[in-house]
Amino acid sequence: MTTKETFSINSESLMAKIKELIKEGNVTRIIISDKMGKDLLNFPLTVGVFGVLIAPMFAAVGALAAIVTECTITVEREVTEEPEEIKTDAKPL
């Protein structure tokens, strides 16, 4: 199951927030939009992303932070549902 969460953030905090989200580990996609709602960056995060693949993403986010004053980050997370407990009327042996 996938959930979405949105953050409004200024350009000074953008890079720190992206790094924080990546460290959480359950993020599957990050979308950065301007204050008008137009998508500026949209990148998937897959399990086992290597530093070589993340470096260009950080460069793009850094360049974007220099241009945009306010933006919105939409985060898609993969949430695993825990199975419900099975209740039985059986007595223990």
Coordinates of all heavy atoms in Angstrom, one line a residue:
M1 N 0.8 -1.2 0.0 CA 0.0 0.0 0.0 C 0.9 1.2 0.0 O 1.9 1.3 0.7 CB -0.9 0.0 1.2 CG -1.8 1.1 1.4 SD -2.8 0.8 2.8 CE -3.6 2.2 3.0
T2 N 0.5 2.2 -0.8 CA 1.3 3.5 -0.9 C 0.6 4.6 -0.3 O -0.6 4.8 -0.5 CB 1.6 3.8 -2.4 OG1 2.3 2.6 -2.9 CG2 2.5 5.0 -2.5
T3 N 1.2 5.4 0.5 CA 0.6 6.7 1.0 C 1.4 7.9 0.5 O 2.6 7.7 0.2 CB 0.7 6.6 2.6 OG1 2.0 6.6 3.0 CG2 -0.1 5.5 3.1
K4 N 0.7 9.0 0.5 CA 1.4 10.2 0.1 C 1.4 11.2 1.2 O 0.4 11.3 2.0 CB 0.7 10.9 -1.1 CG 0.9 10.1 -2.4 CD 0.3 10.9 -3.6 CE 0.5 10.1 -4.8 NZ 0.1 10.8 -6.0
E5 N 2.5 12.0 1.4 CA 2.6 13.0 2.4 C 3.2 14.2 1.7 O 4.1 14.1 0.9 CB 3.5 12.5 3.5 CG 3.6 13.3 4.7 CD 4.5 12.7 5.8 OE1 5.0 11.5 5.6 OE2 4.6 13.3 6.8
T6 N 2.7 15.4 2.1 CA 3.2 16.6 1.4 C 3.8 17.6 2.5 O 3.2 17.8 3.6 CB 2.0 17.3 0.7 OG1 1.5 16.4 -0.2 CG2 2.5 18.5 0.0
F7 N 4.9 18.2 2.1 CA 5.5 19.2 3.0 C 5.7 20.5 2.2 O 6.1 20.5 1.0 CB 7.0 18.7 3.4 CG 7.0 17.4 4.1 CD1 7.3 16.3 3.4 CD2 6.8 17.3 5.4 CE1 7.3 15.0 4.0 CE2 6.8 16.1 6.1 CZ 7.1 14.9 5.3
S8 N 5.4 21.6 2.8 CA 5.8 22.9 2.2 C 7.1 23.3 2.9 O 7.2 23.3 4.1 CB 4.7 24.0 2.5 OG 3.5 23.6 1.8
I9 N 8.0 23.8 2.1 CA 9.4 24.0 2.6 C 10.0 25.2 1.8 O 9.7 25.4 0.7 CB 10.2 22.7 2.5 CG1 11.4 22.7 3.4 CG2 10.5 22.4 1.1 CD1 12.0 21.4 3.6
N10 N 11.0 25.8 2.5 CA 11.7 26.9 1.7 C 13.0 26.3 1.2 O 13.4 25.2 1.5 CB 12.0 28.1 2.7 CG 12.8 27.7 3.9 OD1 13.5 26.7 3.9 ND2 12.8 28.5 4.9
S11 N 13.6 27.1 0.3 CA 14.8 26.5 -0.4 C 16.0 26.2 0.5 O 16.8 25.3 0.2 CB 15.2 27.5 -1.5 OG 15.6 28.8 -1.0
E12 N 16.1 26.9 1.6 CA 17.3 26.7 2.5 C 17.2 25.3 3.1 O 18.2 24.7 3.4 CB 17.3 27.7 3.6 CG 17.7 29.1 3.2 CD 16.4 29.9 2.7 OE1 15.3 29.7 3.3 OE2 16.6 30.7 1.8
S13 N 16.0 24.8 3.4 CA 15.8 23.5 4.0 C 15.6 22.4 3.1 O 15.5 21.2 3.5 CB 14.6 23.6 4.9 OG 14.7 24.7 5.8
L14 N 15.5 22.6 1.8 CA 15.2 21.6 0.8 C 16.1 20.5 0.8 O 15.7 19.3 0.9 CB 15.1 22.3 -0.6 CG 14.7 21.3 -1.8 CD1 13.4 20.7 -1.6 CD2 14.8 22.1 -3.1
M15 N 17.4 20.7 0.7 CA 18.4 19.6 0.6 C 18.4 18.8 1.9 O 18.5 17.6 1.8 CB 19.8 20.2 0.3 CG 20.8 19.1 0.0 SD 20.6 18.2 -1.5 CE 21.2 19.3 -2.7
A16 N 18.3 19.4 3.0 CA 18.3 18.7 4.3 C 17.1 17.8 4.4 O 17.2 16.6 4.8 CB 18.4 19.7 5.4
K17 N 16.0 18.3 3.9 CA 14.7 17.5 4.0 C 14.8 16.3 3.1 O 14.4 15.1 3.4 CB 13.5 18.3 3.7 CG 12.2 17.6 3.9 CD 12.0 17.3 5.3 CE 10.7 16.7 5.6 NZ 10.4 16.3 7.0
I18 N 15.4 16.5 1.9 CA 15.5 15.4 0.9 C 16.4 14.3 1.5 O 16.1 13.1 1.4 CB 16.1 15.9 -0.4 CG1 15.1 16.8 -1.1 CG2 16.4 14.7 -1.4 CD1 13.8 16.2 -1.5
K19 N 17.6 14.7 2.1 CA 18.5 13.7 2.7 C 17.8 13.0 3.8 O 18.0 11.7 3.9 CB 19.7 14.4 3.2 CG 20.7 14.9 2.1 CD 21.9 15.6 2.6 CE 22.8 16.1 1.5 NZ 24.0 16.8 2.0
E20 N 17.0 13.7 4.6 CA 16.3 13.0 5.7 C 15.3 12.0 5.2 O 15.2 10.9 5.8 CB 15.6 14.1 6.5 CG 14.7 13.6 7.6 CD 13.9 14.7 8.3 OE1 14.4 15.9 8.3 OE2 12.8 14.4 8.8
L21 N 14.6 12.3 4.2 CA 13.6 11.4 3.6 C 14.3 10.2 3.0 O 13.8 9.1 3.2 CB 12.8 12.1 2.5 CG 11.8 13.2 3.0 CD1 11.3 14.0 1.9 CD2 10.7 12.6 3.8
I22 N 15.4 10.3 2.4 CA 16.1 9.2 1.8 C 16.6 8.3 2.9 O 16.5 7.0 2.8 CB 17.3 9.7 0.9 CG1 16.7 10.3 -0.4 CG2 18.2 8.5 0.5 CD1 17.7 11.0 -1.2
K23 N 17.1 8.8 4.0 CA 17.6 8.0 5.1 C 16.5 7.2 5.8 O 16.8 6.1 6.3 CB 18.3 8.9 6.2 CG 19.6 9.4 5.8 CD 20.2 10.2 6.9 CE 21.6 10.8 6.4 NZ 22.2 11.6 7.4
E24 N 15.2 7.7 5.7 CA 14.1 6.9 6.3 C 14.0 5.5 5.7 O 13.6 4.6 6.3 CB 12.8 7.7 6.2 CG 12.8 8.9 7.1 CD 11.5 9.7 7.0 OE1 10.5 9.2 6.4 OE2 11.5 10.8 7.5
G25 N 14.2 5.4 4.4 CA 14.2 4.1 3.7 C 12.9 3.6 3.2 O 13.0 2.7 2.3
N26 N 11.8 4.1 3.6 CA 10.5 3.6 3.1 C 9.9 4.5 2.0 O 8.8 4.3 1.6 CB 9.5 3.4 4.2 CG 9.2 4.6 4.9 OD1 9.8 5.7 4.8 ND2 8.1 4.6 5.7
V27 N 10.7 5.5 1.5 CA 10.2 6.4 0.5 C 10.4 5.8 -0.9 O 11.5 5.3 -1.2 CB 11.0 7.8 0.6 CG1 10.6 8.7 -0.5 CG2 10.7 8.4 2.0
T28 N 9.4 5.8 -1.7 CA 9.5 5.2 -3.0 C 9.6 6.2 -4.1 O 10.1 6.0 -5.2 CB 8.3 4.3 -3.3 OG1 7.1 5.0 -3.2 CG2 8.3 3.1 -2.4
R29 N 9.1 7.5 -3.9 CA 9.1 8.5 -4.9 C 9.1 9.9 -4.2 O 8.4 10.0 -3.2 CB 7.9 8.4 -5.8 CG 7.9 9.5 -6.9 CD 6.8 9.3 -7.9 NE 7.0 8.0 -8.6 CZ 7.7 7.9 -9.7 NH1 8.4 8.9 -10.2 NH2 7.8 6.7 -10.3
I30 N 9.8 10.8 -4.7 CA 9.8 12.2 -4.3 C 9.5 13.1 -5.4 O 10.1 13.0 -6.5 CB 11.2 12.6 -3.6 CG1 11.5 11.7 -2.4 CG2 11.2 14.1 -3.3 CD1 12.8 12.0 -1.8
I31 N 8.5 14.0 -5.2 CA 8.1 14.9 -6.2 C 8.3 16.3 -5.6 O 7.7 16.6 -4.6 CB 6.6 14.7 -6.7 CG1 6.5 13.3 -7.2 CG2 6.2 15.8 -7.7 CD1 5.0 12.9 -7.3
I32 N 9.0 17.2 -6.3 CA 9.2 18.6 -5.9 C 8.4 19.5 -6.8 O 8.6 19.4 -8.0 CB 10.7 19.0 -5.8 CG1 11.4 18.0 -4.9 CG2 10.8 20.4 -5.4 CD1 12.9 18.2 -4.9
S33 N 7.5 20.3 -6.3 CA 6.6 21.2 -7.1 C 6.9 22.6 -6.6 O 7.2 22.9 -5.5 CB 5.2 20.8 -6.9 OG 4.9 19.5 -7.1
D34 N 6.6 23.6 -7.5 CA 6.7 25.0 -7.1 C 5.4 25.4 -6.4 O 4.5 24.6 -6.2 CB 7.0 25.9 -8.3 CG 5.8 25.9 -9.4 OD1 4.8 25.3 -9.1 OD2 6.0 26.5 -10.4
K35 N 5.3 26.6 -5.9 CA 4.2 27.1 -5.1 C 2.9 27.1 -5.9 O 1.8 27.2 -5.4 CB 4.5 28.4 -4.4 CG 4.8 29.5 -5.3 CD 5.2 30.7 -4.4 CE 5.7 31.9 -5.3 NZ 6.1 33.0 -4.5
M36 N 3.0 27.1 -7.3 CA 1.8 27.1 -8.1 C 1.3 25.7 -8.4 O 0.3 25.5 -9.0 CB 2.1 27.8 -9.5 CG 2.6 29.2 -9.3 SD 1.4 30.2 -8.4 CE 0.6 30.9 -9.8
G37 N 2.1 24.6 -7.9 CA 1.7 23.3 -8.1 C 2.3 22.5 -9.3 O 2.0 21.4 -9.6
K38 N 3.2 23.2 -10.1 CA 3.8 22.6 -11.2 C 5.0 21.7 -10.8 O 5.8 22.2 -10.0 CB 4.4 23.7 -12.2 CG 5.0 23.2 -13.4 CD 5.5 24.3 -14.3 CE 6.3 23.7 -15.5 NZ 6.9 24.8 -16.2
D39 N 5.0 20.5 -11.3 CA 6.1 19.6 -10.9 C 7.4 20.0 -11.5 O 7.5 20.3 -12.7 CB 5.8 18.1 -11.4 CG 4.7 17.5 -10.6 OD1 4.2 18.1 -9.6 OD2 4.3 16.4 -11.0
L40 N 8.4 20.2 -10.7 CA 9.7 20.6 -11.1 C 10.7 19.4 -11.2 O 11.5 19.3 -12.1 CB 10.3 21.6 -10.2 CG 9.5 22.9 -10.0 CD1 10.1 23.8 -8.9 CD2 9.4 23.6 -11.3
L41 N 10.7 18.5 -10.2 CA 11.5 17.3 -10.2 C 10.6 16.1 -9.7 O 9.8 16.3 -8.8 CB 12.7 17.4 -9.2 CG 13.8 18.3 -9.7 CD1 14.9 18.4 -8.5 CD2 14.5 17.8 -10.9
N42 N 10.8 15.0 -10.3 CA 10.0 13.8 -10.0 C 11.0 12.6 -10.1 O 11.4 12.3 -11.2 CB 8.8 13.7 -10.9 CG 7.9 12.5 -10.6 OD1 8.4 11.6 -9.9 ND2 6.7 12.5 -11.1
F43 N 11.4 12.1 -9.0 CA 12.3 10.9 -9.1 C 11.9 9.8 -8.2 O 11.5 10.0 -7.1 CB 13.8 11.4 -8.9 CG 14.0 12.3 -7.7 CD1 14.3 11.7 -6.4 CD2 13.9 13.6 -7.8 CE1 14.5 12.5 -5.3 CE2 14.1 14.4 -6.7 CZ 14.4 13.9 -5.5
P44 N 12.1 8.6 -8.7 CA 11.8 7.4 -7.9 C 13.0 7.0 -7.1 O 14.1 7.3 -7.5 CB 11.5 6.3 -9.0 CG 12.3 6.7 -10.1 CD 12.3 8.3 -10.1
L45 N 12.7 6.4 -6.0 CA 13.8 5.9 -5.1 C 13.5 4.4 -5.0 O 12.5 4.0 -4.5 CB 13.8 6.5 -3.7 CG 14.1 8.0 -3.7 CD1 13.9 8.5 -2.3 CD2 15.5 8.3 -4.2
T46 N 14.4 3.6 -5.5 CA 14.3 2.2 -5.4 C 15.1 1.6 -4.3 O 16.1 2.2 -3.9 CB 14.6 1.5 -6.8 OG1 16.0 1.8 -7.1 CG2 13.8 2.0 -7.9
V47 N 14.8 0.4 -3.9 CA 15.6 -0.3 -2.9 C 17.0 -0.5 -3.4 O 17.2 -0.9 -4.6 CB 14.9 -1.6 -2.5 CG1 15.8 -2.4 -1.5 CG2 13.5 -1.4 -2.0
G48 N 18.0 -0.2 -2.7 CA 19.3 -0.4 -3.1 C 19.9 0.7 -4.0 O 20.8 0.4 -4.8
V49 N 19.4 1.9 -3.9 CA 19.9 3.0 -4.7 C 21.3 3.3 -4.3 O 21.6 3.4 -3.1 CB 19.0 4.3 -4.5 CG1 19.7 5.5 -5.3 CG2 17.6 4.0 -5.0
F50 N 22.2 3.4 -5.2 CA 23.7 3.6 -4.9 C 24.0 5.0 -5.0 O 23.3 5.8 -5.6 CB 24.5 2.8 -6.0 CG 24.3 1.3 -5.9 CD1 23.5 0.7 -6.9 CD2 24.8 0.5 -4.9 CE1 23.3 -0.6 -6.9 CE2 24.5 -0.8 -4.9 CZ 23.8 -1.4 -5.9
G51 N 25.1 5.4 -4.3 CA 25.5 6.8 -4.3 C 25.8 7.4 -5.6 O 25.5 8.6 -5.9
V52 N 26.2 6.6 -6.6 CA 26.5 7.1 -7.9 C 25.2 7.6 -8.6 O 25.2 8.5 -9.3 CB 27.1 5.9 -8.8 CG1 27.2 6.3 -10.2 CG2 28.4 5.5 -8.2
L53 N 24.1 6.9 -8.3 CA 22.8 7.3 -8.8 C 22.2 8.5 -8.1 O 21.4 9.2 -8.7 CB 21.8 6.1 -8.8 CG 22.3 4.9 -9.6 CD1 21.3 3.7 -9.4 CD2 22.4 5.2 -11.1
I54 N 22.5 8.6 -6.8 CA 21.9 9.7 -6.0 C 22.6 11.0 -6.2 O 22.0 12.1 -6.2 CB 21.9 9.3 -4.5 CG1 20.9 8.2 -4.3 CG2 21.6 10.5 -3.6 CD1 20.8 7.8 -2.9
A55 N 23.9 11.0 -6.6 CA 24.7 12.2 -6.8 C 24.1 13.2 -7.8 O 23.9 14.4 -7.5 CB 26.1 11.9 -7.1
P56 N 23.7 12.7 -9.0 CA 23.1 13.7 -9.9 C 21.7 14.2 -9.4 O 21.4 15.4 -9.7 CB 22.8 12.8 -11.2 CG 23.7 11.7 -11.0 CD 23.9 11.4 -9.6
M57 N 21.0 13.4 -8.6 CA 19.8 13.9 -8.0 C 20.0 15.0 -7.1 O 19.4 16.1 -7.1 CB 19.1 12.8 -7.3 CG 17.7 13.2 -6.7 SD 17.1 11.9 -5.6 CE 18.3 11.9 -4.3
F58 N 21.1 14.9 -6.2 CA 21.4 15.9 -5.3 C 21.9 17.2 -6.0 O 21.5 18.3 -5.6 CB 22.5 15.5 -4.3 CG 22.0 14.6 -3.2 CD1 22.7 13.6 -2.7 CD2 20.8 14.9 -2.6 CE1 22.3 12.7 -1.7 CE2 20.3 14.1 -1.6 CZ 21.1 13.0 -1.1
A59 N 22.6 17.1 -7.1 CA 23.0 18.2 -7.9 C 21.8 19.0 -8.4 O 21.7 20.2 -8.4 CB 23.9 17.8 -9.0
A60 N 20.8 18.2 -8.9 CA 19.6 18.8 -9.5 C 18.8 19.5 -8.4 O 18.3 20.6 -8.6 CB 18.7 17.8 -10.1
V61 N 18.7 18.9 -7.2 CA 18.0 19.5 -6.1 C 18.7 20.8 -5.6 O 18.0 21.8 -5.3 CB 17.8 18.5 -4.9 CG1 17.2 19.2 -3.7 CG2 16.9 17.4 -5.3
G62 N 20.0 20.7 -5.6 CA 20.8 21.9 -5.2 C 20.6 23.1 -6.2 O 20.4 24.2 -5.8
A63 N 20.6 22.8 -7.5 CA 20.3 23.8 -8.5 C 18.9 24.4 -8.3 O 18.7 25.6 -8.5 CB 20.6 23.2 -9.8
L64 N 18.0 23.5 -8.1 CA 16.6 23.9 -7.9 C 16.4 24.8 -6.7 O 15.7 25.8 -6.7 CB 15.7 22.7 -7.8 CG 14.2 23.0 -7.7 CD1 13.7 23.6 -8.9 CD2 13.5 21.7 -7.4
A65 N 17.1 24.5 -5.6 CA 17.0 25.3 -4.4 C 17.6 26.7 -4.6 O 17.1 27.6 -4.0 CB 17.8 24.6 -3.3
A66 N 18.5 26.9 -5.5 CA 19.1 28.2 -5.8 C 18.1 29.0 -6.6 O 18.1 30.3 -6.5 CB 20.4 28.0 -6.6
I67 N 17.1 28.4 -7.3 CA 16.2 29.1 -8.1 C 14.9 29.4 -7.4 O 14.3 30.5 -7.5 CB 15.9 28.3 -9.4 CG1 17.2 28.2 -10.2 CG2 14.9 29.0 -10.3 CD1 17.1 27.2 -11.4
V68 N 14.4 28.4 -6.7 CA 13.0 28.5 -6.1 C 13.1 28.9 -4.7 O 14.0 28.5 -4.0 CB 12.4 27.1 -6.2 CG1 11.0 27.1 -5.6 CG2 12.3 26.6 -7.7
T69 N 12.2 29.8 -4.3 CA 12.2 30.2 -2.9 C 11.3 29.4 -2.0 O 11.7 29.1 -0.9 CB 11.7 31.7 -2.8 OG1 10.4 31.8 -3.4 CG2 12.6 32.6 -3.4
E70 N 10.2 29.0 -2.5 CA 9.3 28.1 -1.8 C 8.9 26.9 -2.7 O 8.7 27.1 -3.9 CB 8.0 28.8 -1.4 CG 8.2 29.8 -0.3 CD 6.8 30.5 0.1 OE1 5.8 29.8 -0.1 OE2 6.9 31.6 0.5
C71 N 8.7 25.7 -2.1 CA 8.3 24.6 -2.9 C 7.6 23.6 -2.0 O 7.5 23.8 -0.8 CB 9.5 23.9 -3.6 SG 10.7 23.3 -2.4
T72 N 7.0 22.6 -2.7 CA 6.3 21.6 -2.0 C 6.9 20.2 -2.3 O 7.2 20.0 -3.5 CB 4.8 21.5 -2.4 OG1 4.2 22.8 -2.2 CG2 4.0 20.5 -1.7
I73 N 7.1 19.4 -1.3 CA 7.7 18.1 -1.5 C 6.5 17.1 -1.3 O 5.9 17.1 -0.2 CB 8.8 17.8 -0.6 CG1 9.9 18.8 -0.7 CG2 9.3 16.3 -0.8 CD1 11.0 18.6 0.3
T74 N 6.2 16.2 -2.2 CA 5.3 15.2 -2.1 C 6.1 13.9 -2.0 O 6.9 13.6 -2.9 CB 4.3 15.1 -3.2 OG1 3.6 16.4 -3.3 CG2 3.2 14.0 -3.0
V75 N 5.8 13.1 -1.0 CA 6.6 11.9 -0.7 C 5.6 10.7 -0.8 O 4.5 10.7 -0.2 CB 7.2 11.9 0.7 CG1 8.0 10.6 0.9 CG2 8.1 13.1 0.8
E76 N 5.9 9.7 -1.6 CA 5.2 8.4 -1.6 C 6.0 7.4 -0.8 O 7.2 7.3 -1.0 CB 5.0 7.9 -3.1 CG 4.1 8.8 -3.9 CD 3.9 8.2 -5.3 OE1 4.4 7.1 -5.6 OE2 3.4 8.9 -6.1
R77 N 5.3 6.8 0.1 CA 5.9 5.8 1.0 C 5.2 4.5 0.8 O 4.0 4.4 0.6 CB 5.7 6.2 2.4 CG 6.4 7.5 2.8 CD 6.1 7.8 4.2 NE 6.5 9.2 4.6 CZ 7.7 9.5 5.0 NH1 8.6 8.6 5.2 NH2 8.0 10.7 5.3
E78 N 6.0 3.4 0.9 CA 5.4 2.1 0.8 C 5.1 1.7 2.3 O 6.1 1.6 3.1 CB 6.4 1.1 0.2 CG 5.8 -0.3 -0.1 CD 4.7 -0.2 -1.1 OE1 4.8 0.6 -2.1 OE2 3.8 -1.1 -1.0
V79 N 3.9 1.4 2.6 CA 3.5 1.0 3.9 C 3.1 -0.4 3.9 O 2.2 -0.8 3.1 CB 2.3 1.9 4.4 CG1 1.9 1.5 5.8 CG2 2.7 3.4 4.4
T80 N 3.7 -1.2 4.8 CA 3.3 -2.6 4.8 C 2.2 -2.7 5.9 O 2.3 -2.2 7.0 CB 4.4 -3.5 5.2 OG1 5.0 -3.1 6.4 CG2 5.5 -3.5 4.1
E81 N 1.1 -3.4 5.6 CA 0.1 -3.6 6.5 C 0.4 -4.9 7.4 O 0.8 -5.9 6.8 CB -1.3 -3.8 5.8 CG -1.7 -2.6 5.1 CD -3.1 -2.8 4.4 OE1 -3.8 -3.7 4.9 OE2 -3.4 -2.1 3.5
E82 N 0.2 -4.7 8.7 CA 0.4 -5.9 9.5 C -0.8 -6.7 9.5 O -1.9 -6.2 9.6 CB 0.7 -5.4 11.0 CG 2.0 -4.6 11.1 CD 2.3 -4.2 12.5 OE1 1.7 -4.8 13.4 OE2 3.1 -3.3 12.6
P83 N -0.7 -8.0 9.5 CA -1.8 -8.9 9.4 C -2.6 -8.8 10.8 O -2.0 -8.7 11.8 CB -1.3 -10.3 9.2 CG 0.2 -10.2 9.6 CD 0.6 -8.8 9.4
E84 N -3.9 -8.9 10.7 CA -4.7 -8.9 11.9 C -4.5 -10.2 12.6 O -4.3 -11.2 12.1 CB -6.2 -8.7 11.5 CG -6.5 -7.3 10.9 CD -8.0 -7.2 10.5 OE1 -8.8 -7.9 11.2 OE2 -8.3 -6.4 9.6
E85 N -4.7 -10.1 14.0 CA -4.6 -11.3 14.8 C -5.8 -12.2 14.5 O -6.9 -11.7 14.4 CB -4.6 -10.9 16.3 CG -3.2 -10.5 16.8 CD -3.2 -10.3 18.3 OE1 -3.9 -11.1 19.0 OE2 -2.5 -9.4 18.7
I86 N -5.5 -13.4 14.5 CA -6.6 -14.4 14.3 C -7.1 -14.8 15.6 O -6.3 -15.3 16.5 CB -6.2 -15.6 13.5 CG1 -5.7 -15.1 12.1 CG2 -7.3 -16.6 13.3 CD1 -5.1 -16.2 11.3
K87 N -8.4 -14.5 15.9 CA -8.9 -14.9 17.2 C -9.7 -16.2 17.1 O -10.5 -16.4 16.2 CB -9.9 -13.8 17.7 CG -9.2 -12.5 18.0 CD -10.1 -11.5 18.5 CE -9.4 -10.2 18.8 NZ -10.2 -9.1 19.3
T88 N -9.4 -17.1 18.0 CA -10.1 -18.4 18.0 C -10.6 -18.6 19.4 O -10.1 -18.1 20.4 CB -9.1 -19.5 17.6 OG1 -8.1 -19.6 18.6 CG2 -8.5 -19.3 16.2
D89 N -11.6 -19.5 19.5 CA -12.2 -19.8 20.8 C -11.5 -21.1 21.3 O -12.0 -21.7 22.3 CB -13.7 -20.1 20.6 CG -14.4 -18.8 20.3 OD1 -13.9 -17.7 20.7 OD2 -15.5 -18.8 19.7
A90 N -10.5 -21.6 20.7 CA -9.9 -22.8 21.1 C -9.1 -22.6 22.4 O -8.5 -21.6 22.7 CB -8.9 -23.3 20.0
K91 N -9.2 -23.6 23.3 CA -8.5 -23.6 24.6 C -7.1 -24.2 24.4 O -6.9 -25.1 23.7 CB -9.3 -24.4 25.6 CG -10.6 -23.8 25.9 CD -11.4 -24.7 26.9 CE -12.8 -24.1 27.1 NZ -13.5 -24.9 28.0
P92 N -6.1 -23.5 25.1 CA -4.8 -24.1 25.0 C -4.7 -25.5 25.6 O -5.4 -25.8 26.5 CB -3.9 -23.1 25.8 CG -4.9 -22.2 26.5 CD -6.2 -22.4 25.9
L93 N -3.8 -26.3 25.1 CA -3.6 -27.7 25.6 C -2.8 -27.7 26.8 O -2.0 -27.1 27.1 CB -3.0 -28.5 24.5 CG -3.9 -28.7 23.2 CD1 -3.1 -29.5 22.2 CD2 -5.2 -29.4 23.5

